[in-house]
Amino acid sequence: MSSPTSPSTAGEPAYRHYDKNRLVLGKSMQEQLRFAVCYWHSFGWAGTDPFGDPSFERPWHGAGEPMAQALHKADVAFDLFRLVDTPYFTFHDRDVAPEGASLAEFHTNLRRIGEVFARKMQDTGVRLLWGTANLFSHRRYMAGAATNPDPEVFSYAAAQVKNVLELTHELGGANYVLWGGREGYETLLNTDLKRELAQLGRFLQLVVEHKHKIGFKGQILIEPKPAEPTKHQYDRDVAAVFGFLREHGLEHEVKVNIEQNHALLAGQTFEHEIAMAQALGIFGSLDMNRGDELLGWDTDQFPNNLPQVALSLYEVLKGGGIGQGGLNFDAKLRRQSIDPDDLVWAHATAMDLCAQALLVAERMLQDGALQRHVQQRYAGWDGEAGRAILNGERSLEDLARDVAERGLDPRPRSAQQERLEHLVNSYL
């Protein structure tokens, strides 16, 4: 693989905007972005689709001894981390270790790989952004994990999460993620919604309880998605997740990992979901990939749209930054991009685009014109009358009397959307 670290005119990827040591709003660019490479799409996915066999013929995808293949995969993974100079990585348990013939064997295999990770992390300085358990691929989870009608499947999933949460803790992970790809239903004809929601709530409570028991200081994150693979998933978007967390007393314990493609499938924009999470106090981290707006499924493409990413990072910066989260490239090469160097190109160019977007977002924030417009638009609520309404000092009768006595006849004012859109374009 080729390194992207220096500009070149010979067709090699180059960082023209990403300088990890450059200060942006008082923090290094590396700390503001906290890039991570995901293990599953980059090293586990073989280039299949519903109509086609694997198109990537990677050496570690062959028919060799499973643990030897896993060790080979780890070597290649940390080589890519070095080449693109990413500070973090993410993994599912099933990506990094063979499952074997039993859960005990799976745990043993995972621990062996964990020891390899620990050595490589110490040698390279690469850290773990988050770990997670795959509770959706194996056929045992075809009817869900936490929401499965069989309590034995629930228990098996809990044991799997316990092991990965503990390994994430031991490796110094900053977060632990739960994605409920099968936590939903295909038809109401065989589904008890109330029961399944109660099961899912208890499962999350168990994870949080164990987090505190083992002293894990990272964030527990849920990754919202409305559908696919399940027809209707319970964690469809940020607002739905927040309502669910409040119902189960977890709104101060669990946050969200937001993905652009999932937001699109939910009928939202990436920046909307980020702003909503910030407003509700549950913003955690980002999966930085994109969907194809002409396709109705999760295409998991690397980001390449500067205005979209800039607006998203503007919302992140407005809320105080990425915190313990990061920008994880939960993205796949296209099935026809079969060269190993395509992995370098994809990550390096995506990192550079995000860095460029961060600089745009910094200009937007420092200029302050957008914030001033919003403040002026809502200025009345900062006055005496507005504060009295929100503080519960005015009844419905009080407000009606005030309108009548003052003869109020409010006139609408322009929201000036077109001017603001032009202003945003001027920062690009």
Side-chain angles (χ1 to χ4, degrees):
M1 294 182 182
S2 304
S3 172
T5 54
S6 59
S8 170
T9 58
E12 296 294 329
Y15 290 140
R16 292 176 172 81
H17 304 281
Y18 182 53
D19 174 356
K20 66 181 182 181
N21 296 315
R22 177 173 178 174
L23 292 181
V24 177
L25 299 176
K27 294 182 180 179
S28 71
M29 189 173 276
Q30 178 173 274
E31 189 59 23
Q32 288 283 18
L33 295 169
R34 291 164 65 91
F35 288 128
V37 175
C38 84
Y39 221 90
W40 51 102
H41 290 328
S42 296
F43 312 108
W45 186 57
T48 57
D49 68 17
F51 306 96
D53 295 333
S55 61
F56 301 155
E57 296 180 349
R58 313 297 195 208
W60 59 90
H61 288 162
E65 195 277 320
M67 185 55 73
Q69 297 286 56
L71 293 170
H72 187 181
K73 192 190 303 184
D75 290 339
V76 173
F78 276 82
D79 191 38
L80 178 65
F81 305 159
R82 175 186 60 82
L83 287 171
V84 300
D85 197 17
T86 181
Y88 294 94
F89 73 105
T90 58
F91 73 89
H92 291 87
D93 51 355
R94 196 172 152 164
D95 309 321
V96 301
E99 290 190 86
S102 66
L103 185 61
E105 186 177 345
F106 188 17
H107 287 179
T108 298
N109 291 341
L110 184 61
R111 289 297 172 150
R112 286 181 60 192
I113 295 297
E115 292 172 359
V116 172
F117 281 175
R119 290 195 298 269
K120 289 181 176 293
M121 292 167 67
Q122 184 174 12
D123 291 342
T124 63
V126 175
R127 292 168 286 172
L128 178 62
L129 185 66
W130 49 260
T132 185
N134 182 322
L135 304 180
F136 50 88
S137 292
H138 195 283
R139 66 191 300 270
R140 76 174 59 88
Y141 296 129
M142 63 184 181
T147 58
N148 199 285
D150 185 348
E152 291 185 354
V153 175
F154 181 105
S155 298
Y156 194 101
Q160 195 173 332
V161 168
K162 174 182 178 292
N163 190 52
V164 185
L165 177 58
E166 289 173 354
L167 179 59
T168 299
H169 176 44
E170 292 164 15
L171 292 174
N175 308 273
Y176 183 86
V177 169
L178 294 146
W179 178 59
R182 303 285 181 188
E183 311 297 11
Y185 66 88
E186 301 293 343
T187 175
L188 283 172
L189 298 176
N190 61 11
T191 302
D192 186 331
L193 285 174
K194 185 175 182 179
R195 189 186 296 271
E196 291 198 0
L197 290 170
Q199 291 172 208
L200 183 57
R202 182 58 190 143
F203 194 93
L204 287 174
Q205 290 168 349
L206 288 169
V207 174
V208 169
E209 289 167 9
H210 197 66
K211 164 194 168 171
H212 292 303
K213 181 177 181 179
I214 64 176
F216 179 53
K217 302 302 181 184
Q219 301 177 131
I220 302 296
L221 305 176
I222 289 179
E223 184 171 323
K225 189 177 183 182
E228 194 198 39
T230 308
K231 178 181 178 181
H232 181 105
Q233 288 166 205
Y234 298 131
D235 53 355
R236 66 166 288 110
D237 60 12
V238 168
V241 169
F242 180 73
F244 182 83
L245 294 175
R246 288 199 67 176
E247 174 70 17
H248 295 277
L250 295 167
E251 68 272 23
H252 301 301
E253 294 281 2
V254 179
K255 297 184 179 181
V256 287
N257 179 58
I258 306 168
E259 179 179 307
Q260 190 270 355
N261 208 156
H262 295 178
L264 189 67
L265 293 175
Q268 316 284 15
T269 64
F270 199 20
E271 58 266 31
H272 165 87
E273 289 289 84
I274 295 169
M276 181 65 76
Q278 298 279 21
L280 296 173
I282 58 170
F283 176 77
S285 192
L286 299 178
D287 271 2
M288 187 55 69
N289 58 353
R290 65 183 171 93
D292 189 318
E293 295 182 2
L294 298 181
L295 300 176
W297 61 87
D298 196 356
T299 55
D300 283 326
Q301 294 172 253
F302 282 87
N304 70 353
N305 187 312
L306 177 61
Q308 285 183 350
V309 178
L311 287 173
S312 300
L313 293 182
Y314 174 65
E315 294 298 333
V316 172
L317 293 179
K318 273 174 50 181
I322 201 70
Q324 288 183 232
L327 273 61
N328 176 49
F329 293 113
D330 183 8
K332 297 182 288 192
L333 294 177
R334 296 304 88 193
R335 191 167 176 266
Q336 299 176 51
S337 299
I338 61 176
D339 293 338
D341 268 7
D342 292 332
L343 274 172
V344 178
W345 269 96
H347 285 91
T349 54
M351 290 167 67
D352 211 38
L353 175 88
C354 291
Q356 185 179 5
L358 179 70
L359 296 175
V360 172
E362 179 189 36
R363 290 196 293 273
M364 294 167 66
L365 198 64
Q366 288 180 329
D367 180 65
L370 289 169
Q371 297 103 296
R372 287 193 296 274
H373 174 84
V374 173
Q375 290 167 357
Q376 291 168 4
R377 192 171 183 224
Y378 292 91
W381 289 99
D382 294 324
E384 181 180 350
R387 292 197 306 271
I389 293 171
L390 294 180
N391 291 336
E393 299 170 7
R394 297 290 186 274
S395 67
L396 203 63
E397 290 180 342
D398 293 333
L399 296 176
R401 185 183 309 110
D402 185 55
V403 169
E405 291 177 352
R406 296 170 56 195
L408 291 181
D409 184 17
R411 300 296 181 180
R413 290 172 289 179
S414 175
Q416 301 178 348
Q417 179 174 333
E418 293 74 17
R419 301 187 203 183
L420 298 176
E421 291 169 343
H422 172 76
L423 176 61
V424 168
N425 286 334
S426 73
Y427 296 115
L428 299 175

